Amino acid sequence: MTEAHETGLRLGIVLDRMTDYDATRVHSVQKNGMIQAWNDANPGKDVHVGDEIVQVNNVQWHANTKTFIKHIAGQWKAGRKRWEGSPETFRLYIRRPRVWKHTRFAYQRLDKHQKDYAAEFVAELPLPGDFAEVIRENRMSSWKAMESVMGWKLGATEEWKPAVIKKIEPHGAVFNWNRDHPGSLILEGDELMKVDSIAFQHNSSVFIANVKRHFWAATRVPETNRSTYVSVRRPRAIQDAFDEAHPIKDIQVSSDTQQRITLQFRSELADHLGWQIAPTEDTDSGNSGVVVKAIDQTGLVSRWNEGHPDQSIAPGDHIIEVNGASWELYDTDKEFFNLVLSELQPDGHERSAGELLQLTLERRVRSVMQFRTNMEFGVHMQAQVSAAKTTTELPPLQAPSDSSAGATAVGGQAGASGEEVVDDAGNGKPVGAADDADDDSDVIGAED
């Protein structure tokens, strides 16, 4: 209760009461509260919607639900305010019905989905125009045909989980996509939800077999300039491992832009430009000439900025040319600065109304670019967050662990691992994959 007292957090649950002889049930768990914090810190012992509360601290429920809810609120209030005699630990005793009816609200389903998966997108992968001829000439099997064209190796961890990209080769359609789309990389460990019109339907082996036949059928159709559409879903753990193996680094990039402007003097402003200029002191930045130090709110320069927001003059701009005379023709910035002053006030006299002053200004623009480090070997990485590193080996797969009855598995992911099942001939094919002789009429890029 010390944390609750110091932070002022609420318990963070909404209780539901049917009758006094039915125990109070958890109607919802709020995102900001001590119960949600407990759930995050104790996977497998988290409080679910529909759980029944049968005791709070030393107070038991005895078919008095209405009064018992008041006891829960009173025990929490006393503990958080540190009243004398209140326990330092708030204890709830949970009873979970073996079967209960509960439907998540839409926002709850969306929130959980976003926690479990870091990215979902559809990639349009162009295919080589002569891939069908190459496959026929080399007498590739349907399995090898798909791997050769796409440059991936697929695997199935569980029949009810989506197929997983186990390895991405340094060639093929997937490799080309990653090279051309660094912001939407396809990673090892990503789940395949759909390939063209073939969708995953709770059986990964059947899905892989259908995709294999799909590519094999495409070799028999004389087509060029075609693509395949791949729907990818990325488990959060895969993204975290990739970010650790290939962290993003910021690089500052500078570029110089130039603009030419023409200032026209007016009689009422002939003696007031409204800026402060000085010779450039720091030439290491690549700029030289005369630097604009400040701009007044009134004056010829301010009036120009109001009428030309896309070509405004700003502090830090460098004057590199005045009336056709460039700073490069002068040995020092001081000499060019004196020229600028003489052009502004020729022969010590003010400029007359209607006269023009042509200036070329240069502005240094700094931007930040981001890039992934450790990409020498492509997108390979270890799938274990604690030991992520760049490697050319296949990502290790994680076998599903046995959970105790009534416990909720937390942190599970598709793309976790096990061994690929091979057939009697030693070929690396998933269980349930069709033979190479299988065929259908599907064509890549065609709709059902």
Side-chain angles (χ1 to χ4, degrees), residues 365-386:
V365 179
R366 289 181 172 84
S367 58
V368 177
M369 297 182 62
Q370 296 182 331
F371 77 100
R372 291 275 183 181
T373 58
N374 304 329
M375 295 292 288
E376 296 85 356
F377 301 103
V379 297
H380 309 297
M381 77 284 184
Q382 296 283 355
Q384 299 174 356
V385 178
S386 59

mmCIF file of all heavy atoms in Angstrom, residues 365-386:
data_model
loop_
_atom_site.group_PDB
_atom_site.id
_atom_site.type_symbol
_atom_site.label_atom_id
_atom_site.label_comp_id
_atom_site.label_asym_id
_atom_site.label_seq_id
_atom_site.Cartn_x
_atom_site.Cartn_y
_atom_site.Cartn_z
ATOM 1 N N VAL A 365 20.545 24.317 -44.084
ATOM 2 C CA VAL A 365 19.431 23.545 -43.569
ATOM 3 C C VAL A 365 19.969 22.240 -43.002
ATOM 4 O O VAL A 365 20.673 21.490 -43.692
ATOM 5 C CB VAL A 365 18.394 23.257 -44.677
ATOM 6 C CG1 VAL A 365 17.244 22.434 -44.117
ATOM 7 C CG2 VAL A 365 17.880 24.567 -45.269
ATOM 8 N N ARG A 366 19.650 21.998 -41.751
ATOM 9 C CA ARG A 366 20.105 20.766 -41.088
ATOM 10 C C ARG A 366 18.915 19.832 -40.888
ATOM 11 O O ARG A 366 17.868 20.249 -40.418
ATOM 12 C CB ARG A 366 20.762 21.088 -39.743
ATOM 13 C CG ARG A 366 22.123 21.765 -39.879
ATOM 14 C CD ARG A 366 22.751 22.045 -38.520
ATOM 15 N NE ARG A 366 24.119 22.523 -38.647
ATOM 16 C CZ ARG A 366 24.449 23.775 -38.874
ATOM 17 N NH1 ARG A 366 23.504 24.693 -39.005
ATOM 18 N NH2 ARG A 366 25.723 24.132 -38.983
ATOM 19 N N SER A 367 19.095 18.596 -41.247
ATOM 20 C CA SER A 367 18.064 17.582 -41.065
ATOM 21 C C SER A 367 18.692 16.339 -40.448
ATOM 22 O O SER A 367 19.917 16.186 -40.435
ATOM 23 C CB SER A 367 17.401 17.230 -42.402
ATOM 24 O OG SER A 367 18.373 16.769 -43.339
ATOM 25 N N VAL A 368 17.845 15.479 -39.933
ATOM 26 C CA VAL A 368 18.306 14.255 -39.279
ATOM 27 C C VAL A 368 17.828 13.057 -40.086
ATOM 28 O O VAL A 368 16.637 12.928 -40.375
ATOM 29 C CB VAL A 368 17.779 14.161 -37.833
ATOM 30 C CG1 VAL A 368 18.214 12.837 -37.190
ATOM 31 C CG2 VAL A 368 18.286 15.336 -37.004
ATOM 32 N N MET A 369 18.763 12.226 -40.473
ATOM 33 C CA MET A 369 18.444 10.981 -41.182
ATOM 34 C C MET A 369 18.685 9.806 -40.241
ATOM 35 O O MET A 369 19.578 9.840 -39.398
ATOM 36 C CB MET A 369 19.305 10.838 -42.437
ATOM 37 C CG MET A 369 19.074 11.910 -43.482
ATOM 38 S SD MET A 369 20.079 11.639 -44.964
ATOM 39 C CE MET A 369 19.443 10.043 -45.523
ATOM 40 N N GLN A 370 17.866 8.790 -40.384
ATOM 41 C CA GLN A 370 17.988 7.597 -39.547
ATOM 42 C C GLN A 370 18.334 6.389 -40.408
ATOM 43 O O GLN A 370 17.831 6.262 -41.535
ATOM 44 C CB GLN A 370 16.683 7.331 -38.788
ATOM 45 C CG GLN A 370 16.322 8.422 -37.787
ATOM 46 C CD GLN A 370 15.058 8.111 -37.034
ATOM 47 O OE1 GLN A 370 14.169 7.429 -37.538
ATOM 48 N NE2 GLN A 370 14.973 8.585 -35.803
ATOM 49 N N PHE A 371 19.187 5.527 -39.871
ATOM 50 C CA PHE A 371 19.498 4.296 -40.584
ATOM 51 C C PHE A 371 19.741 3.180 -39.583
ATOM 52 O O PHE A 371 20.094 3.402 -38.426
ATOM 53 C CB PHE A 371 20.710 4.489 -41.499
ATOM 54 C CG PHE A 371 22.027 4.491 -40.783
ATOM 55 C CD1 PHE A 371 22.835 3.363 -40.770
ATOM 56 C CD2 PHE A 371 22.470 5.619 -40.106
ATOM 57 C CE1 PHE A 371 24.041 3.365 -40.104
ATOM 58 C CE2 PHE A 371 23.674 5.632 -39.450
ATOM 59 C CZ PHE A 371 24.469 4.499 -39.453
ATOM 60 N N ARG A 372 19.534 1.962 -40.054
ATOM 61 C CA ARG A 372 19.741 0.770 -39.233
ATOM 62 C C ARG A 372 21.212 0.379 -39.252
ATOM 63 O O ARG A 372 21.847 0.348 -40.309
ATOM 64 C CB ARG A 372 18.910 -0.394 -39.764
ATOM 65 C CG ARG A 372 17.416 -0.220 -39.586
ATOM 66 C CD ARG A 372 16.987 -0.668 -38.219
ATOM 67 N NE ARG A 372 15.539 -0.572 -38.069
ATOM 68 C CZ ARG A 372 14.897 -0.876 -36.956
ATOM 69 N NH1 ARG A 372 15.580 -1.299 -35.897
ATOM 70 N NH2 ARG A 372 13.595 -0.765 -36.884
ATOM 71 N N THR A 373 21.756 0.082 -38.094
ATOM 72 C CA THR A 373 23.145 -0.360 -38.005
ATOM 73 C C THR A 373 23.211 -1.888 -38.075
ATOM 74 O O THR A 373 22.206 -2.585 -37.955
ATOM 75 C CB THR A 373 23.775 0.120 -36.690
ATOM 76 O OG1 THR A 373 23.007 -0.386 -35.584
ATOM 77 C CG2 THR A 373 23.777 1.639 -36.628
ATOM 78 N N ASN A 374 24.406 -2.389 -38.268
ATOM 79 C CA ASN A 374 24.675 -3.839 -38.295
ATOM 80 C C ASN A 374 23.871 -4.559 -39.368
ATOM 81 O O ASN A 374 23.382 -5.667 -39.144
ATOM 82 C CB ASN A 374 24.380 -4.473 -36.924
ATOM 83 C CG ASN A 374 25.140 -3.835 -35.804
ATOM 84 O OD1 ASN A 374 26.247 -3.356 -35.995
ATOM 85 N ND2 ASN A 374 24.544 -3.794 -34.620
ATOM 86 N N MET A 375 23.729 -3.909 -40.539
ATOM 87 C CA MET A 375 22.956 -4.531 -41.611
ATOM 88 C C MET A 375 23.849 -5.172 -42.668
ATOM 89 O O MET A 375 23.410 -5.449 -43.772
ATOM 90 C CB MET A 375 22.055 -3.479 -42.264
ATOM 91 C CG MET A 375 20.989 -2.913 -41.353
ATOM 92 S SD MET A 375 19.730 -4.127 -40.912
ATOM 93 C CE MET A 375 18.866 -4.284 -42.464
ATOM 94 N N GLU A 376 25.120 -5.450 -42.309
ATOM 95 C CA GLU A 376 26.045 -6.020 -43.292
ATOM 96 C C GLU A 376 25.576 -7.377 -43.790
ATOM 97 O O GLU A 376 25.819 -7.752 -44.936
ATOM 98 C CB GLU A 376 27.448 -6.159 -42.685
ATOM 99 C CG GLU A 376 28.096 -4.835 -42.301
ATOM 100 C CD GLU A 376 27.676 -4.380 -40.925
ATOM 101 O OE1 GLU A 376 26.824 -5.062 -40.306
ATOM 102 O OE2 GLU A 376 28.178 -3.335 -40.466
ATOM 103 N N PHE A 377 24.914 -8.135 -42.932
ATOM 104 C CA PHE A 377 24.460 -9.473 -43.301
ATOM 105 C C PHE A 377 22.952 -9.517 -43.525
ATOM 106 O O PHE A 377 22.344 -10.583 -43.463
ATOM 107 C CB PHE A 377 24.849 -10.482 -42.211
ATOM 108 C CG PHE A 377 26.326 -10.553 -41.975
ATOM 109 C CD1 PHE A 377 26.901 -9.937 -40.879
ATOM 110 C CD2 PHE A 377 27.151 -11.215 -42.862
ATOM 111 C CE1 PHE A 377 28.263 -9.996 -40.653
ATOM 112 C CE2 PHE A 377 28.515 -11.273 -42.650
ATOM 113 C CZ PHE A 377 29.077 -10.663 -41.543
ATOM 114 N N GLY A 378 22.341 -8.380 -43.752
ATOM 115 C CA GLY A 378 20.907 -8.366 -44.004
ATOM 116 C C GLY A 378 20.104 -8.257 -42.721
ATOM 117 O O GLY A 378 20.558 -7.683 -41.731
ATOM 118 N N VAL A 379 18.895 -8.828 -42.749
ATOM 119 C CA VAL A 379 17.956 -8.657 -41.641
ATOM 120 C C VAL A 379 18.025 -9.800 -40.631
ATOM 121 O O VAL A 379 17.150 -9.934 -39.790
ATOM 122 C CB VAL A 379 16.509 -8.552 -42.174
ATOM 123 C CG1 VAL A 379 16.352 -7.330 -43.044
ATOM 124 C CG2 VAL A 379 16.114 -9.808 -42.955
ATOM 125 N N HIS A 380 19.049 -10.634 -40.676
ATOM 126 C CA HIS A 380 19.139 -11.763 -39.753
ATOM 127 C C HIS A 380 19.379 -11.277 -38.334
ATOM 128 O O HIS A 380 20.061 -10.297 -38.090
ATOM 129 C CB HIS A 380 20.267 -12.712 -40.165
ATOM 130 C CG HIS A 380 20.195 -13.117 -41.604
ATOM 131 N ND1 HIS A 380 19.135 -13.833 -42.111
ATOM 132 C CD2 HIS A 380 21.021 -12.884 -42.647
ATOM 133 C CE1 HIS A 380 19.336 -14.046 -43.395
ATOM 134 N NE2 HIS A 380 20.469 -13.470 -43.749
ATOM 135 N N MET A 381 18.824 -11.992 -37.372
ATOM 136 C CA MET A 381 19.066 -11.661 -35.963
ATOM 137 C C MET A 381 18.614 -12.830 -35.115
ATOM 138 O O MET A 381 17.850 -13.683 -35.540
ATOM 139 C CB MET A 381 18.339 -10.387 -35.526
ATOM 140 C CG MET A 381 16.855 -10.522 -35.264
ATOM 141 S SD MET A 381 15.886 -10.612 -36.748
ATOM 142 C CE MET A 381 14.222 -10.633 -36.061
ATOM 143 N N GLN A 382 19.123 -12.853 -33.886
ATOM 144 C CA GLN A 382 18.655 -13.812 -32.919
ATOM 145 C C GLN A 382 17.283 -13.371 -32.440
ATOM 146 O O GLN A 382 17.026 -12.196 -32.263
ATOM 147 C CB GLN A 382 19.615 -13.876 -31.713
ATOM 148 C CG GLN A 382 21.002 -14.365 -32.061
ATOM 149 C CD GLN A 382 21.061 -15.873 -32.253
ATOM 150 O OE1 GLN A 382 20.074 -16.545 -32.024
ATOM 151 N NE2 GLN A 382 22.198 -16.380 -32.685
ATOM 152 N N ALA A 383 16.384 -14.309 -32.220
ATOM 153 C CA ALA A 383 15.032 -13.965 -31.781
ATOM 154 C C ALA A 383 14.933 -13.815 -30.277
ATOM 155 O O ALA A 383 13.877 -13.604 -29.741
ATOM 156 C CB ALA A 383 14.033 -15.029 -32.251
ATOM 157 N N GLN A 384 16.063 -13.974 -29.552
ATOM 158 C CA GLN A 384 16.054 -13.806 -28.108
ATOM 159 C C GLN A 384 16.487 -12.384 -27.792
ATOM 160 O O GLN A 384 17.593 -11.981 -28.088
ATOM 161 C CB GLN A 384 16.996 -14.810 -27.446
ATOM 162 C CG GLN A 384 16.582 -16.266 -27.715
ATOM 163 C CD GLN A 384 17.608 -17.232 -27.172
ATOM 164 O OE1 GLN A 384 18.639 -16.820 -26.669
ATOM 165 N NE2 GLN A 384 17.304 -18.515 -27.261
ATOM 166 N N VAL A 385 15.584 -11.638 -27.154
ATOM 167 C CA VAL A 385 15.844 -10.223 -26.914
ATOM 168 C C VAL A 385 17.054 -10.016 -26.033
ATOM 169 O O VAL A 385 17.825 -9.094 -26.217
ATOM 170 C CB VAL A 385 14.596 -9.565 -26.275
ATOM 171 C CG1 VAL A 385 14.871 -8.107 -25.987
ATOM 172 C CG2 VAL A 385 13.401 -9.701 -27.203
ATOM 173 N N SER A 386 17.266 -10.878 -25.073
ATOM 174 C CA SER A 386 18.351 -10.678 -24.121
ATOM 175 C C SER A 386 19.722 -10.863 -24.759
ATOM 176 O O SER A 386 20.717 -10.423 -24.224
ATOM 177 C CB SER A 386 18.204 -11.659 -22.956
ATOM 178 O OG SER A 386 18.231 -12.996 -23.432
#
